[in-house]
Amino acid sequence: MHTILLLTISNIFMTFAWYGHLKYKDSPLWIVIVVSWGIAFFEYCFQVPANRIGHYEFTAAQLKTIQEVITLIVFCVFSVLYLKEPLKWNYLAGFGLMIGAVFLIFKEW
């Protein structure tokens, strides 16, 4: 559970680092880059421990899959609440297909 919590926190930071500046399109690009790097530092402070702790329980591929699912969830919330963009049906359908990938990766074959 620690791994998922740490990955969620790291993804919140990374989503703001990568996409938060889209609300400030008039800001100079170099400022956006510097601020994004600063935010990304905190993302790493949670991501690296999450992977270190999580690798005792999960494989690297499973960790990456968990991270991607968390990323999609965080991004959906961010997109709707912060960017005020709607979630369209085809986005949700595509995300649903990615959930199928989760099944394939975590299924014991």
Side-chain angles (χ1 to χ4, degrees):
M1 195 59 164
H2 288 106
T3 300
I4 292 173
L5 178 63
L6 291 169
L7 287 172
T8 300
I9 294 168
S10 76
N11 270 282
I12 291 168
F13 278 110
M14 204 64 202
T15 300
F16 274 96
W18 284 10
Y19 301 102
H21 62 88
L22 296 178
K23 284 183 82 169
Y24 305 99
K25 293 178 182 171
D26 293 335
S27 298
L29 187 56
W30 73 269
I31 291 175
V32 169
I33 291 169
V34 170
V35 170
S36 292
W37 277 355
I39 295 169
F41 168 78
F42 294 102
E43 184 268 342
Y44 278 90
C45 289
F46 291 96
Q47 179 76 19
V48 172
N51 286 331
R52 176 73 58 96
I53 293 166
H55 200 247
Y56 288 102
E57 183 177 358
F58 303 106
T59 66
Q62 289 173 328
L63 280 170
K64 183 61 178 170
T65 303
I66 292 167
Q67 187 263 331
E68 292 300 334
V69 169
I70 291 170
T71 297
L72 288 174
I73 293 167
V74 168
F75 183 79
C76 286
V77 171
F78 176 86
S79 180
V80 170
L81 297 180
Y82 186 78
L83 294 177
K84 307 292 187 212
E85 294 183 359
L87 281 179
K88 297 179 180 179
W89 75 267
N90 56 323
Y91 300 167
L92 296 173
F95 295 159
L97 292 172
M98 291 179 192
I99 298 302
V102 172
F103 169 77
L104 290 174
I105 289 171
F106 278 89
K107 171 86 170 120
E108 293 293 328
W109 298 96

